[in-house]
Amino acid sequence: MHNAHDPKRTFLFLQGPHGPFFSSLAEMLRAAGCDVWRVGFNAGDKAFWHDRSSYLPYRGTPDEWPFHLEQLLEGRQVTDLVLYGDTRPIHAKAVAAAKARGIRVHVFEEGYLRPYWVTYERDGSNGHSRLMDMPVSAMAEALALSDMEAPLPPSHWGDTRQHVFYGALYHGCVMFLNRGYRQFRPHRALPVTREFQLYLRRLVLMPLQALERRLATLRIRNGGFPYHLALLQLEHDSAFQEHSPFDSLTDFLTDVFRDFAKGAPRHHHLVVKAHPLEDGRVPIRYTVRQLAKRYGLERRVHYVRGGKLATLLNEARTAVTVNSTAGQQVLWRGIPLKVFGKAVYDKPEFVSNQPLPDFFAAPARPDNRAYKDYRRYLLETSQLPGGFYSRKGRRQLLRQVVDMMLASEDPYEALLQGTAAPRQQLRVVS
């Protein structure tokens, strides 16, 4: 492995979050004395990479990628690989090739404690994260070496609009300017033209959907009935696709509705909460209506389209999810939680192992002390304040992450060895 202070470190960037974050990160790594290259797979990748001299377009087929990558790693003497998400095919192959060569792999993801933090890990994230095999007792031992207080989240965060805007811009570039990348195949099943239409539609409908969401939330809060939350994620998201036992959201919802009808007290209601970035590619509202009819729950089911979770969580009895990061907000409030897929927070101390009908009937309470240890451990290691999409969020993230990437130890080892950088306290960011 290369020394952290070796002046010859060479970073190879693959695909990143939509927007300019990867380009700004590369700029700072160059300022630190590193060489930086970027492989672009389409016109959207190119549009957000400002330094044309370090841009390497890949115009081959997906099958030719592993051979081309080996040549790149060898020819550019790459010491570090940087990517966003580790499950899309081009990234999964790159991670395997890099590990075989002893190359450091830097993985970015949306925050496990989103939306106020982003995730930075080495070698893998989500179901491939080191957290998956780490018991809470080991985290508590590592925390004994630190006397830092866990930072509080800000009162306001402004990333969703920018996220949707950059998504629309990215897919627009792929749709209209992709002539030079005829072999490009998106990692999602939906055609790029449809992705672009959905992002654009979402931007236009945002004000109307916000009003509809407020009214639905108001009806639930004023209803006076006990309720349980089913927290949905995006069906095309890698956490759902790669680390879940379900093929579709419909499969997950079918299990939830069936077992809610079996186990929940008859005066309890079920609230189905869509992901904030849900764009209509999956007919969730229709599915909810059909399942409510099938299981005789028409008057006891409510659908809420996206938006912030806190308002609904404050009075919820329980929550169920496949493996959404929203599960962290549930646990933070001490609400019983049931998960079905692989999740970094699925620890026996605070996630229920009851059969679902029993869980709805009489949920066991989570161990809140254990969850606080777990959460503080994340905040002192892989969770960084800031965001990929807003200018202020990117600025805050860059202040800390470059030093972590240049360090010899990954965030988890750094805490154990006492070399972790002090955590920034979050300020209000908009």
Side-chain angles (χ1 to χ4, degrees), residues 50-316:
H50 300 149
D51 180 43
R52 290 289 176 255
S53 64
S54 61
Y55 181 77
L56 308 169
Y58 177 67
R59 306 185 197 279
T61 66
D63 290 342
E64 294 162 344
W65 166 240
F67 176 71
H68 180 82
L69 174 69
E70 289 290 347
Q71 289 184 310
L72 268 180
L73 297 176
E74 185 68 42
R76 305 281 174 182
Q77 294 185 298
V78 173
T79 61
D80 296 78
L81 185 71
V82 187
L83 38 83
Y84 170 71
D86 61 357
T87 56
R88 61 185 75 176
I90 53 173
H91 284 179
K93 286 169 185 166
V95 169
K99 284 181 181 177
R101 286 173 168 265
I103 291 171
R104 275 191 191 87
V105 180
H106 306 267
V107 184
F108 286 89
E109 252 298 357
E110 302 295 337
Y112 295 147
L113 300 175
R114 73 181 74 165
Y116 312 116
W117 291 273
V118 305
T119 298
Y120 165 70
E121 294 181 283
R122 301 266 177 97
D123 295 332
S125 64
N126 289 315
H128 301 137
S129 166
R130 282 184 60 184
L131 292 168
M132 293 298 297
D133 302 317
M134 204 183 293
V136 176
S137 56
M139 297 177 186
E141 282 172 32
L143 286 171
L145 305 171
S146 166
D147 58 359
M148 297 287 291
E149 286 293 317
L152 293 170
S155 58
H156 178 68
W157 195 258
D159 246 18
T160 307
R161 272 194 201 87
Q162 291 95 327
H163 192 163
V164 175
F165 169 75
Y166 283 130
L169 201 56
Y170 178 89
H171 287 99
C173 288
V174 177
M175 195 164 81
F176 297 115
L177 307 172
N178 224 36
R179 206 169 299 163
Y181 301 87
R182 296 196 183 278
Q183 305 290 348
F184 171 68
R185 298 290 176 272
H187 64 285
R188 290 175 183 157
L190 217 58
V192 172
T193 47
R194 183 68 183 133
E195 288 266 9
F196 176 71
Q197 287 166 358
L198 289 168
Y199 271 103
L200 207 57
R201 181 172 173 270
R202 182 161 164 68
L203 271 176
V204 171
L205 292 178
M206 266 179 134
L208 192 66
Q209 290 175 352
L211 178 63
E212 179 199 314
R213 185 169 61 245
R214 274 197 290 272
L215 290 172
T217 306
L218 211 56
R219 279 195 295 272
I220 294 160
R221 293 187 70 198
N222 293 339
F225 43 76
Y227 62 85
H228 305 253
L229 277 171
L231 303 175
L232 304 188
Q233 51 219 97
L234 299 174
E235 191 177 274
H236 58 271
D237 183 70
S238 62
F240 186 91
Q241 290 289 324
E242 304 292 331
H243 304 301
S244 138
F246 301 106
D247 292 327
S248 68
L249 283 175
T250 301
D251 293 346
F252 166 63
L253 285 169
T254 302
D255 280 10
V256 171
F257 275 63
R258 183 194 63 228
D259 290 346
F260 183 82
K262 273 185 204 168
R266 295 176 71 86
H267 61 292
H268 285 209
H269 288 222
L270 178 65
V271 175
V272 179
K273 163 80 170 57
H275 188 278
L277 295 175
E278 184 55 61
D279 53 19
R281 72 184 69 193
V282 177
I284 296 172
R285 191 191 292 278
Y286 173 78
T287 303
V288 165
R289 205 180 294 131
Q290 292 302 107
L291 288 170
K293 199 179 292 181
R294 185 192 302 175
Y295 293 105
L297 299 169
E298 290 101 327
R299 295 178 178 278
R300 295 168 59 199
V301 171
H302 313 264
Y303 174 69
V304 179
R305 185 200 289 270
K308 288 197 172 89
L309 183 56
T311 327
L312 287 170
L313 263 184
N314 290 337
E315 295 173 325

Side-chain angles (χ1 to χ4, degrees), residues 364-415:
R365 287 182 65 106
D367 179 343
N368 205 237
R369 281 199 195 113
Y371 179 70
K372 281 178 178 167
D373 281 345
Y374 169 86
R375 188 172 185 276
R376 191 178 143 219
Y377 181 80
L378 259 62
L379 289 171
E380 293 208 25
T381 52
S382 60
Q383 302 305 290
L384 301 181
F388 296 128
Y389 307 105
S390 71
R391 190 180 284 113
K392 286 183 182 176
R394 287 194 301 275
R395 220 157 41 210
Q396 190 167 29
L397 181 53
L398 287 166
R399 283 194 191 102
Q400 197 155 358
V401 76
V402 176
D403 288 344
M404 293 177 73
M405 293 174 76
L406 293 172
S408 299
E409 306 90 0
D410 79 4
Y412 305 120
E413 290 161 354
L415 183 65

